[in-house]
Amino acid sequence: HELGHVVAVYLLSSRVLQIELHAVGAVIFFDHAAVSYKKEALIAFAGPLANIIFGLIAAVFFLRFNSVMLLLFVLSCAFFAVFNLLPLKGNDGWNIVRALCADKKGIEFAEKATQIIAAVASALGALSALYLYRISGASPAVAALLLFSAIPS
């Protein structure tokens, strides 16, 4: 995933300044002055795109070798691609929406718009988790999902 961001930064004529690794992800710092808002959106999309590409490659191998590990890798790639495209603060989806809004309407509008979109996405996530909790028979895993989705970003 992060490799996708790094490759996009270099392909779009910027440079990586720093990479921070965290327990649940990483942050790529790059020279924002060297890229337009549209290019920032492309850099943000490159991470989930890398998940999709690696997942498709693994799916081809899964069809040939029928390995459970490959299937888990394919599913995890799909999950991380979709999750990272959600417009939640800190996700690539947030950065994509923010950059595209800033390109069209300016950064002040973009900040307000992404706050509203993230609040709606968080509320929909919490409602979805609550529904899953209800139909799952009170599963602890779904309860954890509900708690996670209720945490404000």
Side-chain angles (χ1 to χ4, degrees):
H1 178 98
E2 302 307 330
L3 179 63
H5 294 304
V6 170
V7 169
V9 166
Y10 285 111
L11 288 176
L12 295 172
S13 302
S14 187
R15 63 187 184 97
V16 173
L17 302 174
Q18 181 179 350
I19 300 173
E20 286 184 4
L21 299 176
H22 301 279
V24 289
V27 179
I28 307 292
F29 295 95
F30 63 94
D31 184 6
H32 287 267
V35 297
S36 66
Y37 286 124
K38 287 180 184 177
K39 287 182 179 181
E40 274 192 41
L42 289 171
I43 291 167
F45 182 68
L49 180 61
N51 286 121
I52 293 166
I53 291 168
F54 290 136
L56 289 173
I57 292 168
V60 169
F61 281 97
F62 170 74
L63 292 174
R64 172 68 177 99
F65 298 108
N66 200 21
S67 164
V68 172
M69 292 301 288
L70 284 170
L71 178 60
L72 290 174
F73 184 76
V74 170
L75 294 174
S76 67
C77 284
F79 170 80
F80 284 114
V82 170
F83 180 79
N84 276 289
L85 286 171
L86 294 175
L88 303 173
K89 191 168 187 173
N91 277 12
D92 295 320
W94 166 279
N95 294 326
I96 293 167
V97 169
R98 183 181 168 281
L100 293 177
C101 286
D103 184 58
K104 296 293 181 196
K105 300 274 188 173
I107 194 66
E108 292 85 17
F109 174 83
E111 293 294 339
K112 291 176 187 173
T114 49
Q115 290 289 342
I116 293 167
I117 291 168
V120 170
S122 293
L124 290 173
L127 288 173
S128 299
L130 186 59
Y131 176 72
L132 288 173
Y133 180 71
R134 184 176 178 278
I135 66 170
S136 72
S139 163
V142 177
L145 177 64
L146 175 61
L147 288 172
F148 176 76
S149 65
I151 297 170
S153 45

